[in-house]
């Protein structure tokens, strides 16, 4: 079972969109997928067609069984987030709270991949995700703030490696809402490549182009591959997933 975490300390960079597309893409490829929404906004669970006012990630971290919190949309299984997660810093015990997700997932073994969507901060919830992660995918846009967010996150990754998870791997930086027509995208790419080199990682060759179908698919609670299979969004995420899986074969 491999855990893939999507993160960046900056919001609005396509973390949830990328996590949704990757969960659906892996399921489409025949893998058994569990997705976990660690964000108090609950956008991943909502876009997956999740029910409201049911048990979710908060309860899973509190010790409830997978069966008690699990939902499915017929494509992948998922655990939904809700606003209670916003109180995680005060609700969970101070000692050992960084390992709650790892502890909960020890009882889970029926999946090939676990996809984790994180909030745009380096708080307790993101820390829990990194502690259990095999691969971190950093989502970013073509602006200076996203580059800074990547480097700040890298500092946190090094601390997590030193203290909790020495096997945490940065699979790469995924550029989203990318436009080959704008100068800013072209200008920022070398900066991301420099940042990736410092991290010992890479910038994925696949760039996710701005595509309204991605937003529409989330509103309609349908995976992009079902909602608009011929769209640039579907094609880009399929190419990204193939690139990720090829890298996985090479790196183990």
């Amino acid at each position: 079972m491999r855990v893939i975490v999507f993160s960046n300390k900056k919001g609005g960079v396509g973390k949830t969109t990328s996590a949704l597309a990757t969960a659906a893409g892996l399921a489409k490829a025949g893998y058994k997928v569990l997705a976990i929404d660690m964000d108090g906004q609950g956008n991943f669970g909502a876009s997956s067609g999740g029910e409201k006012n049911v048990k979710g990630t908060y309860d899973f971290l509190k010790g409830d069984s997978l069966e008690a919190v699990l939902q499915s949309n017929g494509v992948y299984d998922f655990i939904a987030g809700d606003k209670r997660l916003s109180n995680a810093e005060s609700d969970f015990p101070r000692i050992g709270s960084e390992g709650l997700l790892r502890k909960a997932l020890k009882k889970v073994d029926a999946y090939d991949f676990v996809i984790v969507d994180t909030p745009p901060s380096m708080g307790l919830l993101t820390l829990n995700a990194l502690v259990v992660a095999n691969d971190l995918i950093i989502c970013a846009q073509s602006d200076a703030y996203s580059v800074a967010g990547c480097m700040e996150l890298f500092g946190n990754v090094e601390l997590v490696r030193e203290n909790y998870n020495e096997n945490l791997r940065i699979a790469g930086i995924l550029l989203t809402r990318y436009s080959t027509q704008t100068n800013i995208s072209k200008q920022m790419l070398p900066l991301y490549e420099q940042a990736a080199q410092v991290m010992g990682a890479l910038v994925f060759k696949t760039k996710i182009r701005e595509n309204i179908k991605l937003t529409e698919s989330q509103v309609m609670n349908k995976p992009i591959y079902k909602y608009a299979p011929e769209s640039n969004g579907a094609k880009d995420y399929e190419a990204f997933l193939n690139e990720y899986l090829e890298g996985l074969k090479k790196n183990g």
Side-chain angles (χ1 to χ4, degrees), residues 6-54:
F6 288 84
S7 190
N8 193 322
K9 295 177 78 171
K10 184 179 183 296
V13 294
K15 291 188 302 294
T16 300
T17 300
S18 299
L20 285 163
T22 302
L26 286 168
K28 179 171 171 277
Y31 295 102
K32 182 75 171 172
V33 179
L34 171 66
I36 303 176
D37 187 355
M38 294 288 283
D39 193 341
Q41 296 181 75
N43 291 333
F44 186 100
S47 296
S48 296
E51 295 180 45
K52 294 182 179 179
N53 302 316
V54 296

Side-chain angles (χ1 to χ4, degrees), residues 21-243:
T22 302
L26 286 168
K28 179 171 171 277
Y31 295 102
K32 182 75 171 172
V33 179
L34 171 66
I36 303 176
D37 187 355
M38 294 288 283
D39 193 341
Q41 296 181 75
N43 291 333
F44 186 100
S47 296
S48 296
E51 295 180 45
K52 294 182 179 179
N53 302 316
V54 296
K55 288 189 173 184
T57 303
Y58 182 91
D59 307 282
F60 191 51
L61 295 175
K62 280 282 191 179
D64 278 26
S65 68
L66 178 66
E67 291 72 24
V69 300
L70 195 65
Q71 298 190 59
S72 179
N73 57 13
V75 180
Y76 52 82
D77 294 343
F78 63 96
I79 307 174
D82 61 63
K83 61 183 180 182
R84 292 178 298 162
L85 288 170
S86 301
N87 300 321
E89 305 283 349
S90 57
D91 286 2
F92 294 116
R94 285 174 178 253
I95 299 175
S97 59
E98 73 285 339
L100 292 173
L101 182 58
R102 179 164 59 186
K103 181 180 179 182
L105 284 175
K106 279 184 177 179
K107 307 168 190 174
V108 178
D109 60 6
Y111 298 92
D112 300 307
F113 288 95
V114 177
I115 305 298
V116 185
D117 186 28
T118 61
S121 66
M122 191 55 216
L124 179 61
L125 297 171
T126 300
L127 177 58
N128 262 266
L130 295 180
V131 165
V132 77
N134 298 107
D135 294 330
L136 168 64
I137 294 173
I138 303 174
C139 298
Q141 283 180 254
S142 297
D143 63 57
Y145 298 110
S146 287
V147 175
C150 288
M151 294 311 298
E152 287 181 32
L153 182 58
F154 176 56
N156 295 125
V157 166
E158 290 195 303
L159 290 172
V160 171
R161 283 173 175 161
E162 289 172 12
N163 295 284
Y164 305 112
N165 180 6
E166 64 181 13
N167 297 316
L168 174 58
R169 179 178 82 105
I170 301 177
I173 298 172
L174 177 62
L175 296 182
T176 63
R177 297 176 180 173
Y178 192 82
S179 173
T180 56
Q181 306 302 315
T182 61
N183 287 329
I184 186 68
S185 291
K186 297 172 184 175
Q187 291 167 357
M188 295 305 296
L189 183 56
L191 294 180
Y192 279 112
E193 290 172 341
Q194 290 172 21
Q197 190 172 14
V198 171
M199 296 178 189
L202 55 78
V203 177
F204 286 104
K205 292 178 183 177
T206 305
K207 314 295 188 293
I208 309 301
R209 290 168 285 181
E210 186 76 64
N211 185 233
I212 189 63
K213 295 298 181 184
L214 289 167
T215 302
E216 291 175 0
S217 70
Q218 292 178 46
V219 173
M220 299 302 292
N221 301 337
K222 289 184 178 180
I224 186 63
Y225 304 109
K226 287 192 172 185
Y227 178 75
E230 297 303 315
S231 66
N232 285 340
K235 291 175 182 177
D236 289 350
Y237 274 112
E238 184 172 15
F240 155 69
L241 186 56
N242 288 336
E243 186 180 348

